[in-house]
Amino acid sequence: MAVGIFDSGLGGLTVLDAVSKRLPDVPFVYFGDNAHTPYGVRDAEDIFNLTTASVERLWDAGCDLVILACNTASAAALRRMQESWLPPEKRVLGVFVPLIEALTERKWGDNSPPREVEVKHVALFATPATVSSRAFQRELAFRAIGVDVEAQPCGGVVDAIEDGDEILAEALVRSHVEALQRRMPDPEAAILGCTHYPLMEETFQAALGADVRVFSQAKLVASSLDDYLKRHPEMRGAGTQSMFLTTGDPQAVSNKATQFLRRKITFQAA
Ligand code: DGL
Protein backbone atom coordinates (compact mmCIF):
# COMPACT_ATOMS: atom_id res chain seq x y z
CA MET A 1 0.00 0.00 0.00
CA ALA A 2 2.86 2.38 -0.73
CA VAL A 3 2.44 5.93 -2.03
CA GLY A 4 5.18 7.63 -4.05
CA ILE A 5 6.57 11.08 -3.30
CA PHE A 6 8.61 12.68 -6.06
CA ASP A 7 10.86 15.74 -6.14
CA SER A 8 13.77 16.89 -8.28
CA GLY A 9 15.92 16.74 -5.15
CA LEU A 10 15.60 17.21 -1.41
CA GLY A 11 12.73 19.73 -1.26
CA GLY A 12 10.02 17.08 -1.34
CA LEU A 13 11.34 15.80 1.99
CA THR A 14 9.40 18.65 3.61
CA VAL A 15 6.24 17.06 2.18
CA LEU A 16 7.38 13.52 3.01
CA ASP A 17 7.93 14.55 6.62
CA ALA A 18 4.41 15.98 6.91
CA VAL A 19 2.63 13.10 5.14
CA SER A 20 4.42 10.44 7.16
CA LYS A 21 3.50 12.21 10.42
CA ARG A 22 -0.12 12.49 9.32
CA LEU A 23 -0.34 8.93 7.89
CA PRO A 24 2.07 6.84 9.99
CA ASP A 25 0.68 3.52 8.68
CA VAL A 26 1.26 4.28 5.01
CA PRO A 27 4.65 3.29 3.57
CA PHE A 28 6.06 6.09 1.41
CA VAL A 29 8.62 5.66 -1.36
CA TYR A 30 10.56 8.89 -1.89
CA PHE A 31 12.30 9.53 -5.20
CA GLY A 32 14.79 12.42 -5.53
CA ASP A 33 16.10 13.09 -9.02
CA ASN A 34 19.22 14.61 -7.51
CA ALA A 35 21.33 13.90 -10.61
CA HIS A 36 19.19 16.39 -12.54
CA THR A 37 18.27 19.00 -9.90
CA PRO A 38 17.42 21.86 -10.18
CA TYR A 39 14.44 21.53 -12.51
CA GLY A 40 13.54 25.20 -12.06
CA VAL A 41 15.91 26.36 -14.78
CA ARG A 42 14.93 23.67 -17.34
CA ASP A 43 12.39 23.92 -20.16
CA ALA A 44 8.97 22.23 -20.03
CA GLU A 45 9.94 19.35 -22.38
CA ASP A 46 12.95 18.48 -20.28
CA ILE A 47 10.92 18.65 -17.04
CA PHE A 48 8.22 16.39 -18.58
CA ASN A 49 10.79 13.76 -19.67
CA LEU A 50 12.63 13.74 -16.34
CA THR A 51 9.42 13.67 -14.28
CA THR A 52 7.80 10.82 -16.23
CA ALA A 53 10.98 8.70 -16.03
CA SER A 54 11.07 9.22 -12.25
CA VAL A 55 7.36 8.46 -11.80
CA GLU A 56 7.77 5.22 -13.79
CA ARG A 57 10.42 4.14 -11.30
CA LEU A 58 7.88 4.75 -8.52
CA TRP A 59 5.31 2.55 -10.32
CA ASP A 60 8.01 -0.17 -10.33
CA ALA A 61 8.42 0.28 -6.56
CA GLY A 62 4.76 -0.65 -6.03
CA CYS A 63 3.14 2.80 -5.98
CA ASP A 64 -0.10 3.40 -7.92
CA LEU A 65 -0.42 6.96 -6.62
CA VAL A 66 2.42 9.49 -6.84
CA ILE A 67 2.49 12.97 -5.33
CA LEU A 68 4.58 15.40 -7.34
CA ALA A 69 6.07 17.12 -4.27
CA CYS A 70 7.63 19.54 -6.70
CA ASN A 71 5.88 22.70 -7.84
CA THR A 72 8.08 22.95 -10.89
CA ALA A 73 7.00 19.50 -12.16
CA SER A 74 3.40 20.19 -11.07
CA ALA A 75 3.44 23.46 -13.01
CA ALA A 76 5.33 22.38 -16.11
CA ALA A 77 4.45 18.69 -16.60
CA LEU A 78 1.43 17.55 -14.59
CA ARG A 79 -1.31 18.64 -16.94
CA ARG A 80 0.38 16.98 -19.96
CA MET A 81 0.95 13.82 -17.90
CA GLN A 82 -2.71 13.64 -16.90
CA GLU A 83 -3.97 14.39 -20.40
CA SER A 84 -1.76 12.13 -22.49
CA TRP A 85 0.58 9.93 -20.51
CA LEU A 86 -0.96 8.48 -17.37
CA PRO A 87 -2.11 4.81 -17.49
CA PRO A 88 -5.79 4.53 -16.44
CA GLU A 89 -5.05 2.58 -13.23
CA LYS A 90 -2.49 5.11 -11.94
CA ARG A 91 -2.80 8.58 -10.39
CA VAL A 92 -0.45 11.54 -10.13
CA LEU A 93 -1.40 14.52 -7.93
CA GLY A 94 0.34 17.89 -7.72
CA VAL A 95 0.96 20.23 -4.82
CA PHE A 96 -0.61 23.43 -6.15
CA VAL A 97 -4.28 22.74 -5.64
CA PRO A 98 -4.24 22.17 -1.83
CA LEU A 99 -2.38 25.45 -1.46
CA ILE A 100 -4.78 27.40 -3.63
CA GLU A 101 -7.77 25.85 -1.86
CA ALA A 102 -6.34 27.06 1.46
CA LEU A 103 -5.68 30.53 0.09
CA THR A 104 -9.17 30.78 -1.38
CA GLU A 105 -10.86 29.26 1.69
CA ARG A 106 -12.31 26.33 -0.28
CA LYS A 107 -13.01 22.79 0.76
CA TRP A 108 -11.50 19.94 -1.25
CA GLY A 109 -13.24 19.44 -4.59
CA ASP A 110 -15.41 22.59 -4.31
CA ASN A 111 -16.00 23.29 -8.01
CA SER A 112 -18.31 26.28 -7.60
CA PRO A 113 -17.58 29.35 -9.78
CA PRO A 114 -14.73 31.70 -8.83
CA ARG A 115 -15.65 34.22 -6.12
CA GLU A 116 -14.18 37.16 -4.21
CA VAL A 117 -11.90 36.12 -1.34
CA GLU A 118 -10.39 37.97 1.57
CA VAL A 119 -6.82 38.29 0.29
CA LYS A 120 -6.32 40.72 -2.57
CA HIS A 121 -2.54 41.00 -2.86
CA VAL A 122 -0.54 37.80 -2.99
CA ALA A 123 3.20 37.36 -3.35
CA LEU A 124 4.31 34.15 -5.06
CA PHE A 125 7.86 32.90 -4.55
CA ALA A 126 8.81 30.02 -6.84
CA THR A 127 11.40 28.71 -9.28
CA PRO A 128 11.83 30.47 -12.65
CA ALA A 129 10.09 27.56 -14.48
CA THR A 130 7.09 27.64 -12.13
CA VAL A 131 6.76 31.42 -12.45
CA SER A 132 6.98 31.36 -16.25
CA SER A 133 4.40 28.55 -16.51
CA ARG A 134 1.78 30.82 -14.90
CA ALA A 135 0.15 27.60 -13.61
CA PHE A 136 -0.47 29.16 -10.19
CA GLN A 137 -2.37 32.11 -11.67
CA ARG A 138 -4.34 29.72 -13.93
CA GLU A 139 -5.43 27.49 -11.04
CA LEU A 140 -6.23 30.55 -8.89
CA ALA A 141 -8.42 32.06 -11.62
CA PHE A 142 -10.66 28.95 -11.51
CA ARG A 143 -11.40 29.67 -7.85
CA ALA A 144 -11.07 33.38 -7.06
CA ILE A 145 -11.61 36.76 -8.67
CA GLY A 146 -9.92 40.09 -7.98
CA VAL A 147 -6.68 38.67 -6.58
CA ASP A 148 -3.52 40.42 -7.67
CA VAL A 149 -0.55 38.01 -7.82
CA GLU A 150 3.03 39.28 -8.02
CA ALA A 151 5.46 36.47 -8.76
CA GLN A 152 9.16 36.44 -7.94
CA PRO A 153 11.40 33.86 -9.64
CA CYS A 154 13.84 32.92 -6.90
CA GLY A 155 16.92 31.98 -8.90
CA GLY A 156 19.71 30.28 -6.94
CA VAL A 157 17.78 29.39 -3.78
CA VAL A 158 17.28 25.70 -4.63
CA ASP A 159 20.97 25.26 -5.52
CA ALA A 160 22.05 26.91 -2.27
CA ILE A 161 19.73 24.65 -0.25
CA GLU A 162 20.82 21.51 -2.12
CA ASP A 163 24.46 22.54 -1.50
CA GLY A 164 23.72 23.01 2.21
CA ASP A 165 24.82 26.67 1.96
CA GLU A 166 22.41 28.25 4.45
CA ILE A 167 24.09 31.66 4.48
CA LEU A 168 23.81 32.04 0.72
CA ALA A 169 20.21 30.73 0.76
CA GLU A 170 19.26 33.32 3.42
CA ALA A 171 20.91 36.17 1.53
CA LEU A 172 19.15 35.15 -1.69
CA VAL A 173 15.76 34.89 0.04
CA ARG A 174 16.16 38.41 1.49
CA SER A 175 17.10 39.85 -1.90
CA HIS A 176 14.17 38.10 -3.66
CA VAL A 177 11.76 39.44 -1.02
CA GLU A 178 13.13 42.96 -1.49
CA ALA A 179 12.81 42.65 -5.28
CA LEU A 180 9.18 41.61 -4.93
CA GLN A 181 8.39 44.34 -2.40
CA ARG A 182 9.59 46.96 -4.89
CA ARG A 183 6.70 45.84 -7.14
CA MET A 184 4.17 44.94 -4.40
CA PRO A 185 5.03 46.79 -1.16
CA ASP A 186 2.24 45.33 1.01
CA PRO A 187 1.21 41.78 0.14
CA GLU A 188 -1.31 40.27 2.61
CA ALA A 189 -0.21 36.72 1.89
CA ALA A 190 2.87 35.01 0.55
CA ILE A 191 2.96 31.62 -1.13
CA LEU A 192 6.12 29.55 -0.81
CA GLY A 193 5.61 27.83 -4.16
CA CYS A 194 8.59 25.49 -4.04
CA THR A 195 8.91 22.53 -1.71
CA HIS A 196 12.46 23.54 -0.84
CA TYR A 197 11.35 26.87 0.60
CA PRO A 198 9.71 25.70 3.88
CA LEU A 199 13.27 25.20 5.07
CA MET A 200 13.71 28.96 4.67
CA GLU A 201 10.28 29.84 6.06
CA GLU A 202 11.63 31.84 9.00
CA THR A 203 13.82 33.91 6.70
CA PHE A 204 10.89 34.58 4.35
CA GLN A 205 8.65 35.52 7.31
CA ALA A 206 11.28 37.82 8.85
CA ALA A 207 11.96 39.56 5.54
CA LEU A 208 8.25 39.96 4.76
CA GLY A 209 7.24 41.09 8.25
CA ALA A 210 4.91 39.56 10.81
CA ASP A 211 1.74 40.94 9.15
CA VAL A 212 2.15 38.81 6.03
CA ARG A 213 0.54 35.37 6.22
CA VAL A 214 2.98 32.84 4.79
CA PHE A 215 1.43 29.73 3.18
CA SER A 216 3.66 26.72 2.98
CA GLN A 217 2.68 23.43 1.44
CA ALA A 218 3.72 20.45 3.50
CA LYS A 219 0.84 20.32 6.02
CA LEU A 220 -1.78 21.32 3.47
CA VAL A 221 -0.65 18.52 1.13
CA ALA A 222 -0.68 16.03 4.04
CA SER A 223 -4.26 16.77 4.97
CA SER A 224 -5.43 16.66 1.38
CA LEU A 225 -3.65 13.29 0.85
CA ASP A 226 -5.32 11.93 3.99
CA ASP A 227 -8.68 13.02 2.62
CA TYR A 228 -7.91 11.56 -0.84
CA LEU A 229 -6.88 8.15 0.54
CA LYS A 230 -10.05 7.95 2.63
CA ARG A 231 -12.08 8.43 -0.51
CA HIS A 232 -9.81 6.26 -2.70
CA PRO A 233 -8.37 3.51 -0.48
CA GLU A 234 -7.78 1.42 -3.64
CA MET A 235 -5.03 3.89 -4.66
CA ARG A 236 -2.67 2.56 -2.00
CA GLY A 237 -0.29 0.55 -4.19
CA ALA A 238 1.09 -2.96 -3.65
CA GLY A 239 4.42 -1.81 -2.12
CA THR A 240 4.89 -2.48 1.60
CA GLN A 241 8.19 -0.81 2.38
CA SER A 242 9.17 2.81 2.88
CA MET A 243 12.36 3.71 1.05
CA PHE A 244 14.37 6.57 -0.33
CA LEU A 245 15.59 6.39 -3.93
CA THR A 246 17.92 8.80 -5.70
CA THR A 247 19.48 9.20 -9.11
CA GLY A 248 22.39 10.96 -7.38
CA ASP A 249 25.18 9.60 -5.20
CA PRO A 250 23.30 7.76 -2.39
CA GLN A 251 25.90 8.50 0.29
CA ALA A 252 26.14 12.22 -0.48
CA VAL A 253 22.35 12.56 -0.80
CA SER A 254 21.79 10.65 2.48
CA ASN A 255 24.17 13.00 4.29
CA LYS A 256 22.42 16.10 2.98
CA ALA A 257 18.96 14.65 3.66
CA THR A 258 19.95 13.80 7.24
CA GLN A 259 21.13 17.40 7.73
CA PHE A 260 17.98 18.68 5.98
CA LEU A 261 15.42 16.76 8.09
CA ARG A 262 17.58 16.49 11.20
CA ARG A 263 17.01 12.73 11.39
CA LYS A 264 18.83 9.80 9.82
CA ILE A 265 17.77 9.19 6.22
CA THR A 266 19.37 6.51 4.04
CA PHE A 267 18.97 6.73 0.29
CA GLN A 268 19.63 3.93 -2.14
CA ALA A 269 20.43 4.11 -5.85
CA ALA A 270 17.32 4.33 -8.02
N1 DGL B 1 11.38 21.69 -5.00
C1 DGL B 1 10.94 21.86 -6.33
C2 DGL B 1 9.73 22.74 -6.45
O1 DGL B 1 8.86 22.62 -5.60
C3 DGL B 1 11.93 21.92 -7.43
C4 DGL B 1 13.05 22.84 -7.36
C5 DGL B 1 13.96 22.70 -8.55
O2 DGL B 1 14.33 21.56 -8.87
O3 DGL B 1 14.28 23.72 -9.15
O4 DGL B 1 9.60 23.52 -7.36
Side-chain angles (χ1 to χ4, degrees), residues 7-8 37-40 70-72 127 158 194-196:
D7 184 42
S8 62
T37 196
Y39 280 14
C70 175
N71 292 269
T72 307
T127 66
V158 168
C194 170
T195 50
H196 283 71

Side-chain angles (χ1 to χ4, degrees), residues 144-157:
I145 43 178
V147 182
D148 184 15
V149 178
E150 191 62 55
Q152 175 66 27
C154 298
V157 176

Side-chain angles (χ1 to χ4, degrees), residues 65-120:
L65 167 66
V66 172
I67 308 297
L68 297 187
C70 175
N71 292 269
T72 307
S74 302
L78 180 59
R79 200 192 238 198
R80 182 168 160 200
M81 289 166 78
Q82 288 173 331
E83 283 171 2
S84 64
W85 176 82
L86 198 62
E89 69 288 1
K90 308 284 190 195
R91 292 287 176 279
V92 177
L93 302 175
V95 283
F96 263 13
V97 171
L99 190 67
I100 291 174
E101 284 174 340
L103 182 75
T104 57
E105 306 142 33
R106 281 185 179 240
K107 290 239 172 354
W108 205 95
D110 173 352
N111 289 325
S112 60
R115 55 177 180 257
E116 294 239 1
V117 292
E118 204 176 306
V119 286
K120 300 285 179 230

